[in-house]
């Protein structure tokens, strides 16, 4: 008998372990990132097939600029080189692509390509792919706060109207809360990823390096998610009278 699985609405993925995956194979870190990118495409298509509506993927953090100049350049060029590929993929799968992150430090060419992808895919309704590039959650919260202060100063916002829903609208994208966060490679931390949106996310930390995290591994994540008892600060019905 098929198990009835709970399907999260929003899955966030911290793509991690590309470097270690490559090192274990005596390959360069760059080859690990290339393998990770290929896997992300296949995995994303599969995750939507399970019924998930939103996927957020962490591909480059504001802190990743601390890496060697060569690795930063490779990662920038990898995304730039794949933007056309991403656009084709989104059209094939009918996915709305959106980007989250700071645009400063990105070239005009990359920014234009990102805008084109967002514009061309904006009418797809059922699947949203949030690509987090040059993203940091602290930066996102600071950027949102600056916009809020500016709107208050120009009388476009009454500070008394500010609540959680309105705050979310000031973030890079107004997304539903993350239900399931997956970080591959065995690291068990958020590394500045979607701190606002993950406040009640179920966290799942498989040991697999990202390039090896396949469909069957996502099925296991769904099985684990199905077992979790999400309480959101309340008490479940069967425990209420204890
Ligand atoms: C994830 O893989 C991709 C990025 C952070 C850009 P890593 O590059 O962090 O791989 P490890 O953690 O060194 O193995
Ligand atoms: C987090 O991974 C950033 C991305 C996946 C883009 P890192 O590999 O950079 O995180 P730390 O340094 O291990 O916390
Ligand atoms: Mg890492």
């Amino acid at each position: 008998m098929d198990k009835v699985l709970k399907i999260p609405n929003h899955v966030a993925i911290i793509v991690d372990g590309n470097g270690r995956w490559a090192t274990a194979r005596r390959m360069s870190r760059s080859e690990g990132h290339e393998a990770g990118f290929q896997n992300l495409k296949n995995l994303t298509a599969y995750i939507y097939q399970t019924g998930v509506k939103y996927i957020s993927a962490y591909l480059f953090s504001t802190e990743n600029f601390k890496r060697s100049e060569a690795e930063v350049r490779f990662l920038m060029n990898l995304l730039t080189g794949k933007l056309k590929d991403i656009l084709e993929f989104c059209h094939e799968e009918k996915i709305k692509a959106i980007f989250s992150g700071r645009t400063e430090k990105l070239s005009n060419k990359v920014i234009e390509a990102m805008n084109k992808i967002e514009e061309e895919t904006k009418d797809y309704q059922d699947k949203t792919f949030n690509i987090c590039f040059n993203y940091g959650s602290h930066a996102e919260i600071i950027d949102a706060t600056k916009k809020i202060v500016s709107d208050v100063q120009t009388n476009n916002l009454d500070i008394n109207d500010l609540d959680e829903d309105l705050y979310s609208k000031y973030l890079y994208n107004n997304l539903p809360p993350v239900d399931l966060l997956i970080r591959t490679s065995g690291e068990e931390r958020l590394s500045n990823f979607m701190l606002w949106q993950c406040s009640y996310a179920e966290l799942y930390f498989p040991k697999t390096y990202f390039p090896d995290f396949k469909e069957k591994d996502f099925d296991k994540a769904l099985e684990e998610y199905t077992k979790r008892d999400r309480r959101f600060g309340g008490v479940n019905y069967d425990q209420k009278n204890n």
Side-chain angles (χ1 to χ4, degrees):
M1 198 180 78
D2 279 338
K3 280 179 232 144
V4 178
L5 292 172
K6 280 192 208 154
I7 303 298
N9 182 49
H10 187 171
V11 171
I13 304 170
I14 302 179
V15 167
D16 202 11
N18 291 350
R20 280 164 284 167
W21 179 91
T23 304
R25 285 165 178 72
R26 295 167 191 262
M27 291 157 82
S28 65
R29 291 181 60 84
S30 302
E31 287 170 291
H33 293 312
E34 181 71 48
F37 184 85
Q38 290 309 326
N39 190 47
L40 184 64
K41 253 175 53 174
N42 299 338
L43 186 67
T44 302
Y46 179 70
I47 293 176
Y48 287 124
Q49 278 172 29
T50 68
V52 169
K53 304 258 187 267
Y54 293 84
I55 299 174
S56 290
Y58 201 12
L59 302 188
F60 190 92
S61 74
T62 44
E63 289 71 36
N64 285 148
F65 279 105
K66 290 178 191 161
R67 295 187 180 194
S68 75
E69 212 188 304
E71 183 162 350
V72 169
R73 197 177 330 112
F74 181 85
L75 285 165
M76 288 288 155
N77 289 341
L78 181 68
L79 183 84
T80 318
K82 299 290 181 191
L83 285 169
K84 225 176 118 215
D85 205 19
I86 294 174
L87 182 59
E88 272 170 25
F89 171 70
C90 289
H91 278 313
E92 269 166 32
E93 302 283 331
K94 299 198 177 348
I95 295 169
K96 180 199 284 193
I98 54 178
F99 290 87
S100 293
R102 282 190 173 161
T103 48
E104 60 195 49
K105 298 198 191 171
L106 302 183
S107 71
N108 285 342
K109 212 174 131 207
V110 175
I111 297 167
E112 277 166 28
M114 286 175 165
N115 290 341
K116 181 175 147 75
I117 293 177
E118 288 191 337
E119 178 57 32
E120 278 199 27
T121 63
K122 71 177 188 324
D123 293 327
Y124 294 129
Q125 302 285 333
D126 298 336
K127 307 168 188 173
T128 302
F129 189 29
N130 173 36
I131 302 167
C132 301
F133 196 81
N134 196 15
Y135 174 87
S137 197
H138 284 181
E140 179 174 39
I141 290 169
I142 287 168
D143 291 348
T145 308
K146 283 182 180 167
K147 282 188 257 166
I148 289 167
V149 171
S150 160
D151 276 358
V152 170
Q153 284 172 340
T154 53
N155 291 325
N156 287 310
L157 173 68
D158 179 344
I159 197 64
N160 296 312
D161 289 339
L162 190 62
D163 59 9
E164 292 180 20
D165 283 345
L166 190 55
Y167 198 94
S168 295
K169 292 190 180 129
Y170 280 90
L171 297 172
Y172 295 136
N173 289 287
N174 186 14
L175 290 160
V178 172
D179 300 296
L180 172 63
L181 174 121
I182 300 172
R183 179 175 189 149
T184 53
S185 88
E187 306 298 342
E188 302 190 358
R189 56 179 169 270
L190 294 179
S191 301
N192 202 14
F193 190 45
M194 300 187 91
L195 304 181
W196 175 274
Q197 299 87 341
C198 282
S199 57
Y200 267 102
E202 295 300 325
L203 310 180
Y204 182 65
F205 299 116
K207 297 246 179 304
T208 323
Y209 295 144
F210 186 75
D212 285 336
F213 190 86
K214 305 285 177 193
E215 284 92 335
K216 65 170 180 20
D217 302 292
F218 184 72
D219 289 344
K220 274 195 214 143
L222 284 183
E223 279 169 34
E224 175 61 31
Y225 176 76
T226 302
K227 285 188 219 149
R228 301 279 176 95
D229 182 13
R230 303 190 76 194
R231 291 189 283 267
F232 299 97
V235 177
N236 283 339
Y237 181 75
D238 57 356
Q239 297 166 354
K240 267 186 187 154
N241 297 324
N242 291 341

